[in-house]
Amino acid sequence: MDAMDRKILAELQQDGRLTITELAARVRLSVSPCHRRLRDLERQGAIRGYRAVVDPAAVGLNFEALVFATLRWEGSDTVTAFEDALTAVPHVLQAQRLFGEPDYLLRVATTDLVAFQELYDQRLARLPGVQRLTSTLVMKHVVEDRPLPE
């Protein structure tokens, strides 16, 4: 990956809806080489996809929490079972496996506190291998959806 590829990625992270003509103009390439580089970046996996970034509040998801999950070790399938079950919970927007304790950090969005409590008790606490859950509420997003640094 060279400097031109990084420029293309930087522009697309700012506006993923750029046409190939607009993108080429912004990075100062002709359309054909820009298009070829873009396709190469997609094939190589540097660009994983394109999507709309939706404001959770605009769709009624006004409540957000960070949930820390610690698993009990029940064998080598514990992690797999937990992760497989976790992917089926649509209100979990992000999940990261961590080194040390806790084992996972989950970002969860619901409509309100009552919905979060129900999700916590009925879905999250019942995930395979869960030993302990702790949570904290998100007060405000300070840095969100920032493009990757060059």
Side-chain angles (χ1 to χ4, degrees), residues 44-78:
Q44 295 164 5
I47 297 173
R48 297 190 314 204
Y50 301 89
R51 64 184 178 92
V53 178
V54 177
D55 179 1
V59 294
L61 298 173
N62 298 305
F63 189 88
E64 190 171 324
L66 300 176
V67 178
F68 302 93
T70 301
L71 303 185
R72 62 182 168 272
W73 184 254
E74 296 173 340
S76 60
D77 294 335
T78 304

Side-chain angles (χ1 to χ4, degrees), residues 1-63:
M1 182 172 305
D2 62 13
M4 183 57 66
D5 289 339
R6 292 186 191 285
K7 285 182 187 178
I8 290 170
L9 292 174
E11 290 296 334
L12 288 174
Q13 285 182 93
Q14 292 298 322
D15 184 355
R17 295 185 67 173
L18 289 173
T19 66
I20 192 66
T21 304
E22 293 167 330
L23 179 61
R26 287 189 184 190
V27 299
R28 300 179 190 263
L29 268 181
S30 61
V31 173
S32 291
C34 184
H35 190 256
R36 187 173 50 254
R37 283 176 175 267
L38 178 61
R39 294 295 169 237
D40 287 345
L41 289 167
E42 291 170 345
R43 268 193 295 278
Q44 295 164 5
I47 297 173
R48 297 190 314 204
Y50 301 89
R51 64 184 178 92
V53 178
V54 177
D55 179 1
V59 294
L61 298 173
N62 298 305
F63 189 88

Side-chain angles (χ1 to χ4, degrees), residues 74-96:
E74 296 173 340
S76 60
D77 294 335
T78 304
V79 168
T80 302
F82 175 81
E83 290 179 358
D84 288 346
L86 187 63
T87 61
V89 182
H91 289 278
V92 176
L93 304 180
Q94 295 178 332
Q96 288 89 25

Side-chain angles (χ1 to χ4, degrees), residues 82-95 106-110 119-120 122-128:
F82 175 81
E83 290 179 358
D84 288 346
L86 187 63
T87 61
V89 182
H91 289 278
V92 176
L93 304 180
Q94 295 178 332
L106 315 176
R107 182 174 156 236
V108 177
T110 62
L119 177 73
Y120 189 97
Q122 301 300 316
R123 300 285 304 269
L124 300 178
R126 296 178 182 190
L127 291 168

